[in-house]
Amino acid sequence: MLQVGIFGASGRMGSLLIQEVSKDENLQLSSVYARDNIQELYAQNLPVAKTIKDFLDSCACIIDFSSKEGSLELMQTAKNHHIYKPMVIGTTGFSQEEFDMLQALSTHCPILYASNMSMGVAILAKISAIVAQTLKDSDIEIVEYHHRHKKDAPSGTALTLAQACAEARGLDLQKVRVSGRDGIIGARSKDEIGVMSIRGGDVVGKHNVGFYLDGEYLELTHNATSRLTFVKGAICALKWLAAKPNGIYTIQDSLGLNA
Ligand code: NAD
């Protein structure tokens, strides 16, 4: 039995993870940690850790869906106390420097980071790269839709999809990304990649990658209809990661899409 710790346990994702890990006969929920609504976790008789160090000590591997600040605290505590466990990280919103910290930690333990744990999005990223390269004159515009509570924009997934397209064209995404247009902005430049965000209602997550040409356009759309898809993806990824050597991995690695 793999002893799993869930970080961010009282959130939308954390609550579903608790349900699914508890149902899995190969996994045992050995510690949970959260910043908010802790009383609800105690009320369910869950193994609530009082400190992040206790949380790390009480599990063999970790799934983290919390907040940028929470993930960074988790990583810093692991580093300070030299407690290194395989980690699946689904939290989004990291800056490049913060992502570098995650990368540095992965020299001590295997880490799988995915801004989207669904199989469909992993395949969408792969296909988008092929289309970006093949339809090389197309204008690439990505639109993402999420529920009104989402804190970061554009979504980590939209940035991952944009990165896949930019890499396929040999472009630096930092230089070509446009995430808002207003006023007399002039004509669209050839290389720019638009990444736009819509927020509203209870939309779990929709991503549309469009390739616009003269006379035709191709749009590839992924719709997440339930958060369970991310939860199941994260659990599958954890089982795959648990025995891997130290290093940083992607969801594509766990699905064999990089082979
Ligand atoms: P949420 O706000 O519902 O829950 C956040 C959880 O993290 C809560 O339990 C909260 O107490 C805890 N938390 C927040 N800050 C903390 C801190 N500093 N220390 C400890 N715990 C802290 O959020 P959510 O909708 O469950 O999403 C969580 C994260 O996962 C977000 O970054 C979201 O974008 C991301 N997400 C990723 C995927 C994916 O497939 N990778 C899918 C959905 C959501």
Side-chain angles (χ1 to χ4, degrees), residues 8 10-13 35-36 66-67 70 90 92 114-117 150:
S10 63
R12 283 174 285 264
M13 290 297 292
R35 187 188 54 187
D36 320 286
S66 57
S67 66
T92 60
S115 57
N116 193 305
M117 296 284 173
K150 184 161 177 63

Side-chain angles (χ1 to χ4, degrees), residues 74-143:
L74 173 67
M75 288 190 258
Q76 195 58 53
T77 309
K79 190 175 157 207
N80 292 349
H81 294 279
H82 306 282
I83 311 173
Y84 300 117
K85 309 272 164 96
M87 286 189 195
V88 166
I89 299 183
T91 302
T92 60
F94 296 116
S95 66
Q96 187 54 51
E97 289 78 39
E98 290 159 349
F99 194 73
D100 290 346
M101 187 174 159
L102 194 151
Q103 197 120 25
L105 190 68
S106 77
T107 57
H108 301 284
C109 53
I111 297 183
L112 186 145
Y113 176 77
S115 57
N116 193 305
M117 296 284 173
S118 92
M119 214 185 285
V121 164
I123 291 166
L124 176 60
K126 182 115 184 162
I127 298 171
S128 297
I130 295 169
V131 179
Q133 206 170 29
T134 313
L135 299 182
K136 54 182 184 304
D137 293 328
S138 60
D139 296 328
I140 303 175
E141 295 283 320
I142 298 170
V143 185

Side-chain angles (χ1 to χ4, degrees), residues 230-241:
F230 309 128
V231 166
K232 289 186 172 158
I235 290 174
C236 255
L238 185 73
K239 289 177 179 171
W240 175 87
L241 185 74

Side-chain angles (χ1 to χ4, degrees), residues 7-14 33-38 52 64-71 73 89-93 114-118 147 150-152 157 204 227 230:
F7 195 82
S10 63
R12 283 174 285 264
M13 290 297 292
Y33 188 89
R35 187 188 54 187
D36 320 286
N37 304 320
I38 318 285
I52 299 183
D64 161 42
F65 283 85
S66 57
S67 66
K68 181 176 99 152
E69 296 74 25
S71 291
E73 232 181 299
I89 299 183
T91 302
T92 60
S115 57
N116 193 305
M117 296 284 173
S118 92
H147 54 90
K150 184 161 177 63
K151 295 187 181 80
D152 53 319
T157 305
V204 174
R227 284 188 181 83
F230 309 128

